[in-house]
Amino acid sequence: MRGVLSRAVINLSTMRARGWIIPAAALTAALVAAGSVAQPSSARASRPDAPPPEAIVVELFTAQGCAGCPEANARFESVAAEPGVIALTYAVDYWDYLGWEDTFARPEFAQRQRAYRRPLRLRDVSTPQVVIDGRREVAGAQAPALQSAIDEEAARRDYPPEIEFRVGGDSVGVGSGRPPSGGAEVVAVTYTPGPQEVEIARGDNRGRTVRHMNVVRSLQTLGEWTGRPGLYALPDAREPGQAVAVLVQAKADRRILNGAVLTPH
């Protein structure tokens, strides 16, 4: 996804002087001034009033017991390496009956996937499945369709609320904006950055080593966002090396308004 810059994937060691990690808009402006940002597409370049490009939240729902998931995991990993993508892998537990208990799965991850079913007008949920910005899904994580969907979502201009992390890493601020119908909530997704491999001993993938990228460890709703600026406490039980993605998400249609990542030290 060329010309797309991450909203705020920033290390805590940077920009401490004023007590806030630099917001995404300021970061984008600084990099543009330095000439270090890839050129935007011609459509966006033709609009001088356009806001900085926003990152895309790409969520993969997968399972170690799903025979078709390892290949989808690999395609998802290639997308996760693109600048401007916040990639999150959720392991679901409904394939455990085949003989292998997924080592990363939690019931709430499957609940999150099911919450997308009605807004996306799906008959049921399945794996592998990718949901992009809470707005659309790509079943099977097929590469051409996945890349096309990411590129299309990157062109949206929604003027999202800014997200800024406190330097201490204990809280996050969400700026003002227009709240969606039905309201919105601020969600913290704690995950382990990078790839992880698991050897599968039973089930459909027995004998295989399954690789995962950016495995989600926990979900926590931090509070409601009403359109006014607010400060939210981040989970304080994070393990060393874990990152936190903060998502501002509509309650009704589940679209993600904005997202940012607090990386580990």
Side-chain angles (χ1 to χ4, degrees), residues 78-224:
S78 66
V79 167
E82 296 185 8
V85 170
I86 299 175
L88 303 168
T89 294
Y90 300 84
V92 299
D93 58 0
Y94 49 79
W95 289 103
D96 290 0
Y97 77 95
L98 293 177
W100 175 257
E101 186 173 339
D102 196 296
T103 60
F104 297 135
R106 291 194 176 187
E108 56 265 36
F109 300 162
Q111 291 172 9
R112 180 171 179 81
Q113 184 186 22
R114 293 187 182 101
Y116 283 125
R117 185 177 62 83
R118 176 175 288 183
L120 295 178
R121 299 180 180 180
L122 305 174
R123 291 186 177 182
D124 206 347
V125 297
S126 61
T127 57
Q129 181 188 41
V130 172
V131 177
I132 303 170
D133 263 357
R135 301 174 186 268
R136 60 197 298 176
E137 66 103 25
V138 178
Q142 295 299 322
L146 178 57
Q147 188 61 61
S148 176
I150 290 174
D151 290 342
E152 290 174 10
E153 290 302 315
R156 289 180 181 268
R157 301 175 63 248
D158 290 331
Y159 297 95
E162 287 191 352
I163 299 175
E164 298 177 331
F165 295 101
R166 291 290 299 230
V167 167
D170 59 348
S171 58
V172 61
V174 177
S176 61
R178 179 179 297 177
S181 177
E185 58 190 5
V186 180
V187 180
V189 183
T190 301
Y191 69 96
T192 303
Q196 296 184 73
E197 295 184 344
V198 178
E199 295 182 1
I200 310 300
R202 296 178 300 277
D204 283 1
N205 287 324
R206 61 186 177 277
R208 301 183 67 176
T209 298
V210 177
R211 185 176 168 101
H212 306 261
M213 174 61 69
N214 296 349
V215 175
V216 173
R217 299 297 186 160
S218 66
L219 285 168
Q220 181 177 332
T221 301
L222 304 182
E224 294 190 0

